[in-house]
Amino acid sequence: MDAVDALNEIAFWLERELAPTFKIQAFRKAAGIIGALDPDEVAARARNGRLKSMKGIGDRTFEVIRQAVDGGVPDYLEGLRQRGQQPLATGGAELRSALRGDLHSHSDWSDGGSPIALMADAARTLGRDYLALTDHSPNLKIANGLSAERLREQLAVVAEINGDNGDFRLLTGIEVDILEGGSLDQSPDMLEQLDIVVASVHSKLRSDRRTMTDRMLGAINDPHMNVLGHCTGRLLQGSRGTRPQSEFDAERVFAACAEKNVAVEINSRPERQDPPDDLIRLALDAGCLFSIDSDAHAPGQLDFLQYGAERAAANGVPAERIVTTWPLDRLLEWARRGK
């Protein structure tokens, strides 16, 4: 098989398993190194051992490349494929099969680890009909948030990718910060050009209940907003440690979401599991729509939708209330209301 494809597929499976970042990056880096060379040169260097002397090619990546250029599936990749046959989540299989897309993902334009095209390719391989690219907005400097100028440049990249993707659609989007006053961290003119606007709170998460409620309600009242992202901001595990959930009047916030036709995100990241189960049920009772999203920062993490489907099913969320089960035309019609 193609050696670059083998290295990238290994990285995909490792991302899916939440392997250490350094391990994943070794395979992505090696793919980039040999991807810049002529395939015949790669094969020759792999067979005579000279490839092993190149910076960025270690023992494991060299072995993968050597086995790939010899015409077989590398042993390491075959082992990962075997493990990958097991689902990430045991519940929610019926709901998982109904999912058509994902409205929350990040590329290396902000704090993701992979190019846009690689994210789109992975989503298509996983059988998605659509994926929204939602890199961060400028206020989130730690995540290299996109200025209006950079976002305009990204729109051109997305248009080019969509020209080659057949039935799959990469949606333009943003994960826009909900600022302290409740406004969205991007100009209305730019937001109007996007297919999907996910709005999330990323700062001062320990604000008092009234302050946080007013902040969230201000954003929900903005007609550009489509999805309320990871509403409590909690962290249950992972390299960033743990963080308690924000305090806000969930009944008022979810009532506003239902009134304004804003979907409540069921964030599928294992460290978030946001909203908690009791808030999912509260949003369901309030009449809210939902969006099961991966919040993927790497291609393999796009498969995290399995976790979100499991949680949605366990809390009785019906498929028809989940916008990411809808066909693209219906989804876009819903997303454009008010714009």
Side-chain angles (χ1 to χ4, degrees):
M1 67 180 300
D2 182 82
V4 174
D5 290 345
L7 291 164
N8 278 323
E9 186 180 342
I10 287 169
F12 170 89
W13 291 115
L14 291 173
E15 289 158 354
R16 183 179 182 270
E17 294 181 351
L18 288 172
T21 300
F22 75 88
K23 190 174 184 180
I24 297 164
Q25 288 178 340
F27 290 96
R28 293 283 187 206
K29 182 178 181 180
I33 291 169
I34 68 168
L37 303 175
D38 182 270
D40 291 338
E41 182 182 358
V42 172
R45 289 190 181 196
R47 289 174 179 136
N48 64 26
R50 287 193 302 130
L51 191 67
K52 200 171 183 179
S53 64
M54 292 185 67
K55 185 178 181 181
I57 304 296
D59 291 342
R60 176 77 76 179
T61 52
F62 173 77
E63 184 67 14
V64 167
I65 296 166
R66 188 188 62 77
Q67 291 181 356
V69 300
D70 284 345
V73 176
D75 295 337
Y76 189 59
L77 174 56
E78 183 59 33
L80 289 169
R81 284 178 173 179
Q82 291 295 325
R83 293 210 301 269
Q85 291 179 7
Q86 298 301 315
L88 292 175
T90 56
E94 183 176 352
L95 186 54
R96 180 170 71 245
S97 67
L99 293 174
R100 294 171 180 258
D102 184 347
L103 302 186
H104 189 168
S105 69
H106 299 274
S107 75
D108 59 3
W109 282 56
S110 64
D111 63 343
S114 293
I116 297 170
L118 207 57
M119 296 295 291
D121 286 345
R124 186 175 58 243
T125 299
L126 286 167
R128 310 279 187 261
D129 293 342
Y130 50 85
L131 171 70
L133 176 63
T134 54
D135 280 319
H136 289 285
S137 62
N139 186 61
L140 207 62
K141 293 180 174 59
I142 193 172
N144 194 28
L146 273 62
S147 64
E149 181 179 0
R150 290 182 66 217
L151 182 54
R152 277 191 291 271
E153 293 173 2
Q154 188 180 85
L155 299 187
V157 174
V158 171
E160 183 177 356
I161 289 172
N162 280 329
D164 299 324
N165 268 336
D167 293 337
F168 173 81
R169 173 81 171 270
L170 183 62
L171 301 176
T172 58
I174 190 171
E175 184 183 13
V176 63
D177 253 24
I178 299 175
L179 300 176
E180 290 181 52
S183 60
L184 302 183
D185 181 38
Q186 190 49 271
S187 70
D189 287 345
M190 284 305 305
L191 295 177
E192 286 174 9
Q193 297 180 47
L194 304 177
D195 295 318
I196 295 295
V197 175
V198 177
S200 309
V201 175
H202 289 103
S203 61
K204 297 196 174 179
L205 294 171
R206 303 311 301 147
S207 296
D208 64 79
R209 178 184 175 92
R210 179 176 178 179
T211 298
M212 186 63 78
T213 300
D214 290 345
R215 182 178 183 179
M216 296 169 80
L217 290 175
I220 294 165
N221 283 321
D222 189 309
H224 298 99
M225 180 176 170
N226 301 124
V227 179
L228 176 61
H230 49 70
C231 64
T232 78
R234 73 175 184 172
L235 292 174
L236 301 179
Q237 61 189 48
S239 60
R240 290 184 290 170
T242 61
R243 182 169 63 212
Q245 63 191 61
S246 297
E247 296 294 329
F248 59 93
D249 188 332
E251 289 187 359
R252 289 184 63 198
V253 166
F254 293 150
C257 285
E259 179 186 354
K260 300 295 183 180
N261 221 14
V262 168
V264 175
E265 178 180 72
I266 297 178
N267 189 289
S268 300
R269 294 196 67 85
E271 71 270 27
R272 286 194 181 277
Q273 300 178 42
D274 199 0
D277 290 347
D278 60 327
L279 292 189
I280 292 178
R281 293 190 293 270
L282 188 64
L284 184 64
D285 290 343
C288 292
L289 295 171
F290 295 87
S291 181
I292 297 178
D293 297 327
S294 66
D295 193 359
H297 287 64
Q301 296 174 6
L302 290 166
D303 213 15
F304 286 172
L305 290 187
Q306 295 189 42
Y307 295 125
E310 181 180 51
R311 295 188 64 234
N315 286 286
V317 181
E320 61 268 21
R321 294 268 291 273
I322 300 169
V323 300
T324 41
T325 67
W326 295 354
L328 180 60
D329 288 348
R330 182 183 177 190
L331 177 89
L332 290 176
E333 182 181 0
W334 160 76
R336 288 168 179 156
R337 87 275 178 267
K339 290 187 180 179

